[in-house]
Amino acid sequence: MGKGRAPCCDKNQVKKGPWSPAEDMRLVSFIQKHGHQNWRALPKQAGLLRCGKSCRLRWINYLRPDVKRGNFTKEEEDAIISLHKALGNRWSTIASRLPGRTDNEIKNVWNTHLKKRLSFKNGNNSKTDDSNESSTTTISSSSFSSEIPQSRKRNSENAHDHDHKQVSMTTKKPRTMDSIQDLKSEDSNEPKETKEQKEFPTSSNNSNMTSSGQVFVSKPEELQTDPRSDYNGHAALDEVNKPEFPDIADGIQSDYDYDFWNMLDGFSSFQSNSDLHLHIPESSYSLNLNDSCNNWEVDNRMWLRYLESELELEDQ
DNA sequence: AAATGATACAACCGCCGCATT
DNA sequence: GAATGCGGCGGTTGTATCATT
């Protein structure tokens, strides 16, 4: 290979930085319909001005239906610690043992909490940070469980007019995920990590996908939005439905209203009512794609409709 | 109230390994 | 067997937010 690798995408033609809600919706919508057999081709097909890798990453780390967010339990942390001891920085392998957790997230937790905590425990109380950490050791486990988050929760009133480029990074809105988590936790005890993880060593395999990558819908609640900003939901929905997405790089103002998240929180009820396949057991993976396709397409439409109605965006 | 530092985490980058041609 | 394409992985960076001074 003397020529070196061709870049995976034309860096000048792709958008970088945080994902806007509209992009998220578009990606979710596309994957729900078509799966993700080819990441490289996906952005084009979906009308996204993104690198395929970026799409993949966004999907795996954030938009996947079964991605668990926040609320690292003590057990999970302990598992990470012991797995890291055994495996080292093989985050994806570690992630495969922790259903719903992504390698990226685990990596972050390790780097920001566990590593410090361990070094402190090991007597490396090298001072400030560690002592800090010690006082917040509760944090590490519960930092993700809603104690700390309180403090880190975005304050919707603080709206400065930030460039929307930080939307997703800052719109973690982690706690809104709790509602999902509740739903998910219903079957979180399923033998996921046993069979699945042996067969599917990578973190991406936790998702409710068929072998072709098609996905049983979740609500795009995972969408990162900025509660501070005044999101134009209609625009986002329009974008999703548009065949082309030419100006996504600049055209989408990813501004959500904080209420939007509350609304999404409430969505769980809708979801359960509508039999949305938020958390399909592994056995469902074997379902015939065509059979399930229509169902979740309908679900998807239902979700969009619900969203529109909640946003009062229904066609008038 | 403002400035500064620390923290958290989403996203990017580059490399590697496998599959295909 | 070599070249190429793609997905995946791990390390690192950038920046919003919170805490402290």
Side-chain angles (χ1 to χ4, degrees), chain A residues 19 49 73 84 106 111 113 116 126 128 135 138 149-150 173 189 194 212 235 254 259 278 283-284 293 306-307:
Chain A
W19 281 65
L49 289 178
T73 63
H84 185 270
I106 291 171
N111 287 329
H113 295 300
K116 287 181 195 172
S126 46
T128 54
S135 62
T138 25
Q150 286 286 26
K173 214 240 160 203
N189 293 330
T194 54
S212 70
S254 45
D259 290 341
L278 178 62
S283 56
S284 302
C293 181
Y306 173 81
L307 201 56

Side-chain angles (χ1 to χ4, degrees), chain A residues 224-235:
Chain A
Q224 298 311 290
T225 54
D226 192 338
R228 295 172 316 162
S229 41
D230 49 344
Y231 161 63
N232 180 342
H234 208 170

Side-chain angles (χ1 to χ4, degrees), chain A residues 179-246:
Chain A
S179 56
I180 295 193
Q181 300 321 322
D182 293 342
L183 283 173
K184 289 178 180 174
S185 63
E186 284 177 18
D187 39 272
S188 62
N189 293 330
E190 281 175 17
K192 261 198 164 169
E193 67 243 86
T194 54
K195 181 176 103 186
E196 171 186 325
Q197 294 182 351
K198 277 169 192 152
E199 293 174 3
F200 304 65
T202 66
S203 60
S204 59
N205 292 304
N206 289 332
S207 69
N208 297 329
M209 283 182 275
T210 66
S211 54
S212 70
Q214 209 156 38
V215 177
F216 292 109
V217 176
S218 72
K219 53 188 176 180
E221 226 162 5
E222 316 283 355
L223 302 185
Q224 298 311 290
T225 54
D226 192 338
R228 295 172 316 162
S229 41
D230 49 344
Y231 161 63
N232 180 342
H234 208 170
L237 291 171
D238 284 349
E239 293 295 342
V240 171
N241 293 324
K242 257 195 263 174
E244 292 298 330
F245 211 34

Side-chain angles (χ1 to χ4, degrees), chain A residues 6-23:
Chain A
C8 70
C9 51
D10 183 350
K11 313 247 186 234
N12 295 322
Q13 305 251 331
V14 298
K15 183 189 173 192
K16 287 165 69 173
W19 281 65
S20 71
E23 287 175 296

Side-chain angles (χ1 to χ4, degrees), chain A residues 114-126 130:
Chain A
L114 303 181
K115 195 159 71 174
K116 287 181 195 172
R117 194 212 293 185
L118 279 186
S119 70
F120 177 73
K121 273 186 184 168
N122 292 339
N124 271 356
N125 33 351
S126 46
D130 293 337

Side-chain angles (χ1 to χ4, degrees), chain A residues 31-49:
Chain A
I31 292 178
Q32 282 168 4
K33 283 182 185 151
H34 305 102
H36 51 70
Q37 294 89 341
N38 186 341
W39 284 112
R40 183 169 286 215
L42 187 147
K44 201 168 193 177
Q45 294 166 352
L48 286 162
L49 289 178

